[in-house]
Structures are given as C-alpha cells and as structure tokens.
Amino acid sequence: MLLRGKIGIVGSGFVGSTAAYAMVMRGVGREIVLVDLNKKRAQAEANDIFHAVPFAHPMYIHAGDYEDLTGCRVVVITAGVNQRPGETRLQLLERNAAVFRDVVPRVLEHAPQARLVVASNPVDIMTHLTAHIAGQLGAPGQGVFGSGTTLDTARFRTLLGRHFDVDPHHVHAYVLGEHGDSEVLAWSQASIAGLALEKGRGIIIGVNKWDLIEKEIKDKKAFLENIRFRLKYLSFAPILPLSAKTGLGRDKLLNTLHRLYVQYTRRIDTGPLNQALKTILAEHSLPLRGGQRVKIYYGTQVGTKPPTFLFFANYPENIHFSYQRYLTNKLRDHFGFDFCPMRILFRKREKKVDG
C-alpha cells in the first residue's frame, strides 16, 4: 500500500542529505526515511534535518532500513561510490553498477510500486541500468527516472543570469544529452525574457512545434495557462501556438505583429490622457502614505517604443508600486495597450513662483 507523502532516500551522503533538506524546505512529502549502509551517518543526517522542521514544514524525517521503505511513493537513489582521481567514467560505472545490483532489488522488494529517481553517477547509464534491473524483477521500467542534466541546466541558467545581471528565474536555457563531458549547451534556445521586458521591447510568446504538442498534450488550454503562469511578469504578451512544419499560426503571427507595432508606436494626446486619469483617480483614489495625502495632478506621454507616460504628483516617492500597477492596467484597458509593454514615471510638480 502506498502511503500518502512517504519518500525514501537510499544513500545519506552529500547528495542524499541535501535532497532531504531541500524537500523539507519546500514542503515535499510528509515522511522521509534515509537508508544507508552507514546507519550512524543516516541517523545523524536524519536528526539534523528533522530539527529544522519547526522552521519549515510539518514532516517526519528518520533513518531506517530497506524494510522501512514499504509504502514509499518515491525512492531517490543516491547510493554509490565517488569518482577517484584519474578514474575513468567506465571504471566508475563498473563499481557503481555492482552497488546498484545489490541496492535496486532490495528497494523493489519492499517498495515495488514506488517511482525510482536515480542521481548516482554516471547518472544516465545508471538510470538505464536501474530500469533494466527493475524490468528483470517485473517492475515497470517507465517508473524509473534520472536527474539527467537538470543540475547542469540550473548551473547554465545561473551563470547566464550572473553574466547578464538578471534573476536566473527569468533565464530559459537547457543543457542536453548525457550528463558529463559529452553534454551540449543549447545556446540557440537560450532566452532571457526579463531582459526584453527591462529594455521595453515588444514581446510575443511563440509556442513552436505545436503539431507535436497537440499529439502529446490532452488539455491544451491548461498547457497554455501554465505558460502564462510561469511568465506572469509578461502578462501583456500574447501567446501564439505555432508550427513551422504545418504553417499553423503564421497569419495570426503577422496580424499580431502589426497590432503590436501600432500599439508600440502610438501616441495619446494630453487631453484624452488626463480625462482618463480623472476617471481612474475617481474610481480608486491614492491612499495615504506616511500620513500624507498623495495627489496626481496631470500627465503627459513623453515617449513611444514603448509608450511612456510621465505623471506629476505632490509626493511621487510615496506612490506605492501596487498603485502604479493599477494605473498601468487601467490605462491599458482605456487606450487599448493590451499587447505591448508600458512605462509609468512619476515626478514632483514644481511650485509656481509669482513675479
């Protein structure tokens, strides 16, 4: 019987204990059991991580043996030996394969329905070996997963983010192939959406190879909504399914580009702008900030590409970013800037001097 939220980790070295710690910090699972040949090490790591629970998520972390894996939904296998100086990957494979031929059957004996996640090196070959062993024991090979180039992808995104001074969360880049010396950095697919946003560029999110996605994804609407959620800082950018092979979305892409360019270069006269501002302020006035009543007197458009608006206020430093977002959204709705980025600036109105 699978127990809700129970996870096993075989191997309590640096990788295994760090995996357990990360699960606790992110609230993944309800129970984690650490299994290791060195039982004292497993117990010590389990205790240290369990003591962090009061500052994280409710969870039970303990050390155990293979029989304690019973009921696990997922078992992470980090067991194995480290690569010695000068040792080839083939030599490492031979030693870790011997470990896995002992570990995998013992895991499946007590947790036959668990999904197995392999993180031991050389990870891709070890994942294939685990699936092979599982198949020999009658367990489904499709229930075996490897960490692959996930770590390499994270490193790639982090380094690109550091180079371009951008949050790595906004970097989209992947490392492909086998984890190790033969992996490939997919430079042509790397992109930084946040950089385009910061530069005020018009953005269209194209979901290419839609002809393949349609065959694999049942709920296409949910798939697109997930993209929107992950790129929520680009809420104005249209999302278009595309296929270079079938030509799907080609005409819509051209029409969207034209519509985006019209908005991107559009100018709003000062009169209509301030009439709209009057309506927006009447619907939701500025709150008090620091005991002071903040007022926006008037505004004007000072640029295009993207449309940039300057508003004069008595205390511009006290205008909260949430009100700036509200003002931006209202201007979008009022003037039809639904496809392009906008910039809103505030400046203190200088007092008039008589004479």
Side-chain angles (χ1 to χ4, degrees):
M1 177 182 176
L2 295 176
L3 299 181
R4 185 170 179 263
K6 185 175 181 181
I7 300 170
I9 299 178
V10 179
S12 60
F14 291 121
V15 176
S17 58
T18 301
Y21 174 76
M23 292 177 194
V24 171
M25 291 296 103
R26 295 181 67 90
V28 177
R30 290 293 182 182
E31 178 184 355
I32 298 176
V33 53
L34 293 177
V35 177
D36 197 284
L37 188 63
N38 186 340
K39 295 185 178 182
K40 289 185 178 180
R41 171 71 181 268
Q43 187 64 59
E45 294 289 356
N47 288 340
D48 281 347
I49 298 169
F50 192 32
H51 296 162
V53 164
F55 304 102
H57 299 270
M59 200 175 295
Y60 177 45
I61 299 92
H62 62 98
D65 213 329
Y66 285 97
E67 55 263 27
D68 295 300
L69 297 175
T70 301
C72 282
R73 288 181 174 270
V74 177
V75 176
V76 182
I77 303 178
T78 68
V81 295
N82 295 322
Q83 191 168 7
R84 296 167 178 165
E87 184 178 33
T88 66
R89 290 173 63 81
L90 182 59
Q91 291 169 330
L92 176 64
L93 168 63
E94 291 173 351
R95 294 197 295 137
N96 272 342
V99 174
F100 267 51
R101 290 190 181 96
D102 174 60
V103 168
V104 175
R106 298 176 72 182
V107 170
L108 292 176
E109 178 185 356
H110 300 285
Q113 294 179 304
R115 298 290 186 265
L116 305 183
V117 179
V118 179
S120 301
N121 279 321
V123 65
D124 298 287
I125 300 177
M126 299 308 299
T127 302
H128 179 77
L129 176 62
T130 302
H132 178 71
I133 296 172
Q136 289 180 327
L137 297 173
Q142 60 266 34
V144 178
F145 303 86
S147 58
T149 55
T150 303
L151 177 59
D152 309 277
T153 292
R155 288 169 174 162
F156 189 27
R157 294 181 180 185
T158 301
L159 292 172
L160 286 174
R162 179 192 296 172
H163 179 78
F164 290 104
D165 194 23
V166 174
D167 187 334
H169 285 89
H170 299 162
V171 177
H172 304 279
Y174 299 91
V175 176
L176 309 176
E178 180 186 359
H179 170 70
D181 298 337
S182 62
E183 64 191 22
V184 178
L185 279 64
W187 288 100
S188 63
Q189 299 299 314
S191 64
I192 304 175
L195 185 59
L197 178 63
E198 183 180 318
K199 297 294 184 181
R201 302 292 190 258
I203 298 172
I204 296 175
I205 303 169
V207 186
N208 197 18
K209 301 187 183 298
W210 190 256
D211 54 304
L212 299 179
I213 295 173
E214 279 188 318
K215 298 176 183 178
E216 300 292 333
I217 304 297
K218 292 183 179 180
D219 193 343
K220 302 174 188 63
K221 182 180 179 181
F223 180 82
L224 293 174
E225 287 176 349
N226 182 53
I227 294 175
R228 174 64 70 196
F229 175 77
R230 294 176 66 182
L231 299 176
K232 54 189 174 183
Y233 56 94
L234 297 175
S235 58
F236 59 87
I239 300 177
L240 301 181
L242 303 171
S243 173
K245 181 178 180 180
T246 67
L248 174 72
R250 179 181 55 193
D251 293 339
K252 191 170 184 179
L253 175 61
L254 293 175
N255 292 334
T256 303
L257 281 168
H258 175 72
R259 183 175 172 183
L260 173 58
Y261 183 78
V262 169
Q263 295 181 18
Y264 198 57
T265 58
R266 186 181 176 191
R267 279 194 172 274
I268 304 299
D269 291 335
T270 301
L273 175 63
N274 284 286
Q275 188 61 44
L277 177 63
K278 183 178 179 181
T279 302
I280 293 169
L281 293 174
E283 291 177 356
H284 182 39
S285 60
L286 282 152
L288 289 171
R289 295 284 294 176
Q292 299 171 321
R293 173 63 65 184
V294 181
K295 296 180 181 179
I296 298 178
Y297 298 110
Y298 62 94
T300 184
Q301 185 173 355
V302 294
T304 60
K305 300 181 181 181
T308 304
F309 300 90
L310 175 63
F311 294 95
F312 293 86
N314 56 347
Y315 300 108
E317 67 276 7
N318 286 341
I319 298 176
H320 196 262
F321 75 89
S322 59
Y323 196 90
Q324 180 175 340
R325 185 170 59 235
Y326 162 78
L327 179 58
T328 301
N329 290 335
K330 283 295 183 179
L331 290 174
R332 283 189 188 283
D333 294 340
H334 195 90
F335 294 110
F337 289 112
D338 55 331
F339 274 10
C340 76
M342 294 173 57
R343 285 180 178 160
I344 303 295
L345 309 174
F346 297 99
R347 183 181 297 173
K348 186 175 183 65
R349 188 182 72 167
E350 298 298 332
K351 293 182 179 180
K352 294 182 179 180
V353 179
D354 295 330

